[in-house]
mmCIF file of all heavy atoms in Angstrom:
data_model
loop_
_atom_site.group_PDB
_atom_site.id
_atom_site.type_symbol
_atom_site.label_atom_id
_atom_site.label_comp_id
_atom_site.label_asym_id
_atom_site.label_seq_id
_atom_site.Cartn_x
_atom_site.Cartn_y
_atom_site.Cartn_z
ATOM 1 N N SER A 20 -91.462 11.437 45.246
ATOM 2 C CA SER A 20 -91.574 12.695 44.501
ATOM 3 C C SER A 20 -91.946 12.421 43.045
ATOM 4 O O SER A 20 -91.784 11.308 42.552
ATOM 5 C CB SER A 20 -90.259 13.486 44.549
ATOM 6 O OG SER A 20 -89.218 12.775 43.901
ATOM 7 N N ILE A 21 -92.451 13.466 42.404
ATOM 8 C CA ILE A 21 -92.742 13.433 40.976
ATOM 9 C C ILE A 21 -92.318 14.771 40.383
ATOM 10 O O ILE A 21 -92.567 15.818 40.965
ATOM 11 C CB ILE A 21 -94.248 13.218 40.699
ATOM 12 C CG1 ILE A 21 -94.720 11.874 41.251
ATOM 13 C CG2 ILE A 21 -94.535 13.273 39.202
ATOM 14 C CD1 ILE A 21 -96.208 11.638 41.062
ATOM 15 N N PHE A 22 -91.666 14.724 39.244
ATOM 16 C CA PHE A 22 -91.351 15.955 38.524
ATOM 17 C C PHE A 22 -91.485 15.678 37.035
ATOM 18 O O PHE A 22 -91.511 14.525 36.606
ATOM 19 C CB PHE A 22 -89.952 16.473 38.866
ATOM 20 C CG PHE A 22 -88.832 15.517 38.530
ATOM 21 C CD1 PHE A 22 -88.152 15.623 37.328
ATOM 22 C CD2 PHE A 22 -88.459 14.517 39.412
ATOM 23 C CE1 PHE A 22 -87.120 14.751 37.005
ATOM 24 C CE2 PHE A 22 -87.433 13.638 39.114
ATOM 25 C CZ PHE A 22 -86.755 13.759 37.901
ATOM 26 N N GLY A 23 -91.606 16.719 36.254
ATOM 27 C CA GLY A 23 -91.770 16.497 34.820
ATOM 28 C C GLY A 23 -91.973 17.777 34.051
ATOM 29 O O GLY A 23 -91.655 18.867 34.527
ATOM 30 N N ASP A 24 -92.523 17.640 32.873
ATOM 31 C CA ASP A 24 -92.757 18.755 31.944
ATOM 32 C C ASP A 24 -94.230 18.715 31.560
ATOM 33 O O ASP A 24 -94.668 17.792 30.862
ATOM 34 C CB ASP A 24 -91.852 18.585 30.716
ATOM 35 C CG ASP A 24 -91.963 19.744 29.736
ATOM 36 O OD1 ASP A 24 -93.010 20.423 29.724
ATOM 37 O OD2 ASP A 24 -91.010 19.958 28.962
ATOM 38 N N SER A 25 -94.985 19.692 32.017
ATOM 39 C CA SER A 25 -96.429 19.684 31.748
ATOM 40 C C SER A 25 -96.726 19.880 30.270
ATOM 41 O O SER A 25 -97.736 19.377 29.765
ATOM 42 C CB SER A 25 -97.127 20.765 32.569
ATOM 43 O OG SER A 25 -96.583 22.043 32.293
ATOM 44 N N TYR A 26 -95.855 20.587 29.548
ATOM 45 C CA TYR A 26 -96.084 20.791 28.121
ATOM 46 C C TYR A 26 -95.861 19.494 27.342
ATOM 47 O O TYR A 26 -96.603 19.166 26.424
ATOM 48 C CB TYR A 26 -95.154 21.881 27.571
ATOM 49 C CG TYR A 26 -95.525 23.290 27.989
ATOM 50 C CD1 TYR A 26 -94.705 24.365 27.668
ATOM 51 C CD2 TYR A 26 -96.685 23.544 28.698
ATOM 52 C CE1 TYR A 26 -95.044 25.656 28.055
ATOM 53 C CE2 TYR A 26 -97.029 24.820 29.092
ATOM 54 C CZ TYR A 26 -96.206 25.876 28.770
ATOM 55 O OH TYR A 26 -96.540 27.142 29.146
ATOM 56 N N ALA A 27 -94.822 18.757 27.726
ATOM 57 C CA ALA A 27 -94.488 17.509 27.025
ATOM 58 C C ALA A 27 -95.202 16.298 27.628
ATOM 59 O O ALA A 27 -95.067 15.186 27.127
ATOM 60 C CB ALA A 27 -92.979 17.276 27.055
ATOM 61 N N ASP A 28 -95.960 16.539 28.709
ATOM 62 C CA ASP A 28 -96.706 15.472 29.381
ATOM 63 C C ASP A 28 -95.791 14.365 29.896
ATOM 64 O O ASP A 28 -96.120 13.178 29.836
ATOM 65 C CB ASP A 28 -97.775 14.880 28.446
ATOM 66 C CG ASP A 28 -98.667 13.866 29.167
ATOM 67 O OD1 ASP A 28 -98.922 14.056 30.360
ATOM 68 O OD2 ASP A 28 -99.082 12.884 28.520
ATOM 69 N N THR A 29 -94.612 14.738 30.391
ATOM 70 C CA THR A 29 -93.699 13.737 30.951
ATOM 71 C C THR A 29 -93.826 13.702 32.468
ATOM 72 O O THR A 29 -94.034 14.729 33.111
ATOM 73 C CB THR A 29 -92.239 14.036 30.567
ATOM 74 O OG1 THR A 29 -91.888 15.342 31.023
ATOM 75 C CG2 THR A 29 -92.042 13.949 29.065
ATOM 76 N N LEU A 30 -93.699 12.516 33.013
ATOM 77 C CA LEU A 30 -93.735 12.314 34.457
ATOM 78 C C LEU A 30 -92.528 11.487 34.861
ATOM 79 O O LEU A 30 -92.238 10.461 34.246
ATOM 80 C CB LEU A 30 -95.007 11.577 34.873
ATOM 81 C CG LEU A 30 -96.347 12.301 34.697
ATOM 82 C CD1 LEU A 30 -97.489 11.331 34.989
ATOM 83 C CD2 LEU A 30 -96.437 13.510 35.607
ATOM 84 N N ASN A 31 -91.814 11.941 35.868
ATOM 85 C CA ASN A 31 -90.678 11.214 36.430
ATOM 86 C C ASN A 31 -91.017 10.915 37.887
ATOM 87 O O ASN A 31 -91.143 11.835 38.701
ATOM 88 C CB ASN A 31 -89.400 12.040 36.328
ATOM 89 C CG ASN A 31 -89.043 12.359 34.890
ATOM 90 O OD1 ASN A 31 -88.512 11.525 34.170
ATOM 91 N ND2 ASN A 31 -89.360 13.569 34.451
ATOM 92 N N ILE A 32 -91.185 9.653 38.187
ATOM 93 C CA ILE A 32 -91.687 9.235 39.497
ATOM 94 C C ILE A 32 -90.580 8.524 40.264
ATOM 95 O O ILE A 32 -89.856 7.696 39.712
ATOM 96 C CB ILE A 32 -92.914 8.320 39.323
ATOM 97 C CG1 ILE A 32 -94.015 9.105 38.588
ATOM 98 C CG2 ILE A 32 -93.408 7.795 40.662
ATOM 99 C CD1 ILE A 32 -95.172 8.268 38.119
ATOM 100 N N PHE A 33 -90.462 8.873 41.556
ATOM 101 C CA PHE A 33 -89.352 8.370 42.362
ATOM 102 C C PHE A 33 -89.874 7.614 43.585
ATOM 103 O O PHE A 33 -90.622 8.162 44.392
ATOM 104 C CB PHE A 33 -88.467 9.540 42.821
ATOM 105 C CG PHE A 33 -87.295 9.145 43.664
ATOM 106 C CD1 PHE A 33 -86.150 8.606 43.079
ATOM 107 C CD2 PHE A 33 -87.317 9.306 45.036
ATOM 108 C CE1 PHE A 33 -85.062 8.246 43.855
ATOM 109 C CE2 PHE A 33 -86.239 8.947 45.816
ATOM 110 C CZ PHE A 33 -85.108 8.412 45.231
ATOM 111 N N PHE A 34 -89.493 6.335 43.685
ATOM 112 C CA PHE A 34 -89.738 5.535 44.882
ATOM 113 C C PHE A 34 -88.458 5.508 45.717
ATOM 114 O O PHE A 34 -87.387 5.182 45.203
ATOM 115 C CB PHE A 34 -90.104 4.094 44.517
ATOM 116 C CG PHE A 34 -91.517 3.894 44.057
ATOM 117 C CD1 PHE A 34 -91.819 3.901 42.706
ATOM 118 C CD2 PHE A 34 -92.546 3.692 44.965
ATOM 119 C CE1 PHE A 34 -93.118 3.700 42.262
ATOM 120 C CE2 PHE A 34 -93.850 3.491 44.544
ATOM 121 C CZ PHE A 34 -94.143 3.500 43.186
ATOM 122 N N ASP A 35 -88.578 5.821 46.999
ATOM 123 C CA ASP A 35 -87.429 5.743 47.883
ATOM 124 C C ASP A 35 -86.949 4.294 47.986
ATOM 125 O O ASP A 35 -87.767 3.362 48.028
ATOM 126 C CB ASP A 35 -87.817 6.246 49.274
ATOM 127 C CG ASP A 35 -86.616 6.408 50.178
ATOM 128 O OD1 ASP A 35 -86.141 5.386 50.726
ATOM 129 O OD2 ASP A 35 -86.153 7.543 50.348
ATOM 130 N N PRO A 36 -85.625 4.050 48.019
ATOM 131 C CA PRO A 36 -85.128 2.675 48.186
ATOM 132 C C PRO A 36 -85.683 1.981 49.428
ATOM 133 O O PRO A 36 -85.817 0.754 49.456
ATOM 134 C CB PRO A 36 -83.611 2.862 48.282
ATOM 135 C CG PRO A 36 -83.348 4.105 47.482
ATOM 136 C CD PRO A 36 -84.510 5.010 47.760
ATOM 137 N N GLY A 37 -86.027 2.778 50.452
ATOM 138 C CA GLY A 37 -86.581 2.197 51.668
ATOM 139 C C GLY A 37 -87.952 1.575 51.472
ATOM 140 O O GLY A 37 -88.443 0.853 52.351
ATOM 141 N N PHE A 38 -88.560 1.815 50.313
ATOM 142 C CA PHE A 38 -89.866 1.222 49.994
ATOM 143 C C PHE A 38 -89.796 -0.303 50.063
ATOM 144 O O PHE A 38 -90.799 -0.964 50.324
ATOM 145 C CB PHE A 38 -90.283 1.678 48.595
ATOM 146 C CG PHE A 38 -91.689 1.336 48.192
ATOM 147 C CD1 PHE A 38 -92.762 2.069 48.665
ATOM 148 C CD2 PHE A 38 -91.937 0.286 47.326
ATOM 149 C CE1 PHE A 38 -94.072 1.760 48.287
ATOM 150 C CE2 PHE A 38 -93.238 -0.035 46.938
ATOM 151 C CZ PHE A 38 -94.302 0.704 47.425
ATOM 152 N N ILE A 39 -88.589 -0.849 49.856
ATOM 153 C CA ILE A 39 -88.413 -2.300 49.874
ATOM 154 C C ILE A 39 -88.795 -2.888 51.234
ATOM 155 O O ILE A 39 -89.188 -4.058 51.328
ATOM 156 C CB ILE A 39 -86.939 -2.673 49.525
ATOM 157 C CG1 ILE A 39 -86.809 -4.163 49.204
ATOM 158 C CG2 ILE A 39 -86.009 -2.292 50.654
ATOM 159 C CD1 ILE A 39 -87.492 -4.574 47.946
ATOM 160 N N THR A 40 -88.684 -2.085 52.289
ATOM 161 C CA THR A 40 -88.997 -2.554 53.637
ATOM 162 C C THR A 40 -90.438 -3.037 53.744
ATOM 163 O O THR A 40 -90.747 -3.940 54.529
ATOM 164 C CB THR A 40 -88.762 -1.419 54.655
ATOM 165 O OG1 THR A 40 -87.461 -0.874 54.461
ATOM 166 C CG2 THR A 40 -88.879 -1.930 56.081
ATOM 167 N N LEU A 41 -91.331 -2.447 52.945
ATOM 168 C CA LEU A 41 -92.742 -2.825 53.002
ATOM 169 C C LEU A 41 -92.966 -4.284 52.588
ATOM 170 O O LEU A 41 -94.003 -4.866 52.891
ATOM 171 C CB LEU A 41 -93.569 -1.904 52.106
ATOM 172 C CG LEU A 41 -93.545 -0.413 52.463
ATOM 173 C CD1 LEU A 41 -94.370 0.382 51.473
ATOM 174 C CD2 LEU A 41 -94.062 -0.194 53.880
ATOM 175 N N TYR A 42 -91.987 -4.851 51.880
ATOM 176 C CA TYR A 42 -92.114 -6.234 51.423
ATOM 177 C C TYR A 42 -91.672 -7.233 52.493
ATOM 178 O O TYR A 42 -91.849 -8.438 52.320
ATOM 179 C CB TYR A 42 -91.322 -6.435 50.133
ATOM 180 C CG TYR A 42 -91.953 -5.723 48.953
ATOM 181 C CD1 TYR A 42 -91.754 -4.370 48.746
ATOM 182 C CD2 TYR A 42 -92.773 -6.408 48.064
ATOM 183 C CE1 TYR A 42 -92.357 -3.702 47.674
ATOM 184 C CE2 TYR A 42 -93.373 -5.761 46.998
ATOM 185 C CZ TYR A 42 -93.164 -4.410 46.812
ATOM 186 O OH TYR A 42 -93.762 -3.759 45.763
ATOM 187 N N GLY A 43 -91.082 -6.703 53.600
ATOM 188 C CA GLY A 43 -90.716 -7.537 54.729
ATOM 189 C C GLY A 43 -89.950 -8.776 54.322
ATOM 190 O O GLY A 43 -89.128 -8.756 53.402
ATOM 191 N N ASN A 44 -90.217 -9.870 55.005
ATOM 192 C CA ASN A 44 -89.602 -11.159 54.696
ATOM 193 C C ASN A 44 -90.617 -11.978 53.893
ATOM 194 O O ASN A 44 -91.316 -12.831 54.418
ATOM 195 C CB ASN A 44 -89.207 -11.876 55.988
ATOM 196 C CG ASN A 44 -88.447 -13.150 55.711
ATOM 197 O OD1 ASN A 44 -88.016 -13.393 54.580
ATOM 198 N ND2 ASN A 44 -88.276 -13.978 56.733
ATOM 199 N N ASN A 45 -90.687 -11.626 52.593
ATOM 200 C CA ASN A 45 -91.661 -12.241 51.690
ATOM 201 C C ASN A 45 -93.112 -11.922 52.069
ATOM 202 O O ASN A 45 -94.019 -12.719 51.825
ATOM 203 C CB ASN A 45 -91.468 -13.761 51.627
ATOM 204 C CG ASN A 45 -90.143 -14.127 50.981
ATOM 205 O OD1 ASN A 45 -89.735 -13.516 50.001
ATOM 206 N ND2 ASN A 45 -89.464 -15.115 51.545
ATOM 207 N N ASP A 46 -93.329 -10.725 52.636
ATOM 208 C CA ASP A 46 -94.684 -10.286 52.990
ATOM 209 C C ASP A 46 -95.301 -9.519 51.825
ATOM 210 O O ASP A 46 -95.586 -8.318 51.921
ATOM 211 C CB ASP A 46 -94.646 -9.414 54.255
ATOM 212 C CG ASP A 46 -94.293 -10.210 55.491
ATOM 213 O OD1 ASP A 46 -94.982 -11.205 55.755
ATOM 214 O OD2 ASP A 46 -93.317 -9.843 56.175
ATOM 215 N N TRP A 47 -95.479 -10.204 50.709
ATOM 216 C CA TRP A 47 -96.054 -9.581 49.524
ATOM 217 C C TRP A 47 -96.816 -10.629 48.729
ATOM 218 O O TRP A 47 -96.678 -11.830 48.965
ATOM 219 C CB TRP A 47 -94.955 -8.945 48.662
ATOM 220 C CG TRP A 47 -93.886 -9.895 48.196
ATOM 221 C CD1 TRP A 47 -92.796 -10.308 48.917
ATOM 222 C CD2 TRP A 47 -93.804 -10.569 46.936
ATOM 223 N NE1 TRP A 47 -92.035 -11.193 48.182
ATOM 224 C CE2 TRP A 47 -92.645 -11.369 46.954
ATOM 225 C CE3 TRP A 47 -94.608 -10.569 45.788
ATOM 226 C CZ2 TRP A 47 -92.256 -12.156 45.871
ATOM 227 C CZ3 TRP A 47 -94.221 -11.360 44.706
ATOM 228 C CH2 TRP A 47 -93.064 -12.130 44.749
ATOM 229 N N THR A 48 -97.620 -10.140 47.794
ATOM 230 C CA THR A 48 -98.436 -11.023 46.971
ATOM 231 C C THR A 48 -98.310 -10.610 45.513
ATOM 232 O O THR A 48 -98.297 -9.406 45.206
ATOM 233 C CB THR A 48 -99.914 -10.960 47.398
ATOM 234 O OG1 THR A 48 -100.015 -11.342 48.778
ATOM 235 C CG2 THR A 48 -100.778 -11.879 46.550
ATOM 236 N N ALA A 49 -98.222 -11.579 44.624
ATOM 237 C CA ALA A 49 -98.183 -11.299 43.188
ATOM 238 C C ALA A 49 -99.623 -11.266 42.682
ATOM 239 O O ALA A 49 -100.316 -12.285 42.716
ATOM 240 C CB ALA A 49 -97.384 -12.371 42.459
ATOM 241 N N ILE A 50 -100.069 -10.096 42.240
ATOM 242 C CA ILE A 50 -101.439 -9.974 41.743
ATOM 243 C C ILE A 50 -101.423 -9.914 40.219
ATOM 244 O O ILE A 50 -100.463 -9.443 39.607
ATOM 245 C CB ILE A 50 -102.156 -8.752 42.328
ATOM 246 C CG1 ILE A 50 -101.488 -7.450 41.871
ATOM 247 C CG2 ILE A 50 -102.194 -8.821 43.837
ATOM 248 C CD1 ILE A 50 -102.312 -6.237 42.188
ATOM 249 N N ASP A 51 -102.483 -10.388 39.626
ATOM 250 C CA ASP A 51 -102.583 -10.466 38.175
ATOM 251 C C ASP A 51 -102.750 -9.079 37.578
ATOM 252 O O ASP A 51 -103.655 -8.327 37.944
ATOM 253 C CB ASP A 51 -103.776 -11.342 37.790
ATOM 254 C CG ASP A 51 -103.719 -11.803 36.339
ATOM 255 O OD1 ASP A 51 -103.293 -11.002 35.491
ATOM 256 O OD2 ASP A 51 -104.100 -12.952 36.067
ATOM 257 N N ASN A 52 -101.870 -8.729 36.648
ATOM 258 C CA ASN A 52 -101.912 -7.419 35.994
ATOM 259 C C ASN A 52 -103.242 -7.197 35.286
ATOM 260 O O ASN A 52 -103.782 -6.088 35.262
ATOM 261 C CB ASN A 52 -100.761 -7.309 34.984
ATOM 262 C CG ASN A 52 -100.329 -5.884 34.760
ATOM 263 O OD1 ASN A 52 -101.100 -4.961 35.000
ATOM 264 N ND2 ASN A 52 -99.115 -5.698 34.290
ATOM 265 N N ALA A 53 -103.782 -8.257 34.731
ATOM 266 C CA ALA A 53 -105.043 -8.135 33.993
ATOM 267 C C ALA A 53 -106.197 -7.726 34.909
ATOM 268 O O ALA A 53 -107.114 -7.014 34.481
ATOM 269 C CB ALA A 53 -105.377 -9.450 33.297
#
């Protein structure tokens, strides 16, 4: 979900704790921010 204040341009973003499941047993990759 996302909620916020359009006048103040604020965004509050929510990731479900279950999102961690997508990472499996080290099934993830560290990508360069740049």
Side-chain angles (χ1 to χ4, degrees):
S20 64
I21 298 177
F22 60 95
D24 184 335
S25 57
Y26 287 174
D28 186 34
T29 58
L30 293 172
N31 299 282
I32 299 169
F33 180 78
F34 282 95
D35 189 280
F38 189 78
I39 194 68
T40 309
L41 299 178
Y42 290 81
N44 186 12
N45 294 319
D46 291 305
W47 58 278
T48 301
I50 65 168
D51 197 322
N52 207 337

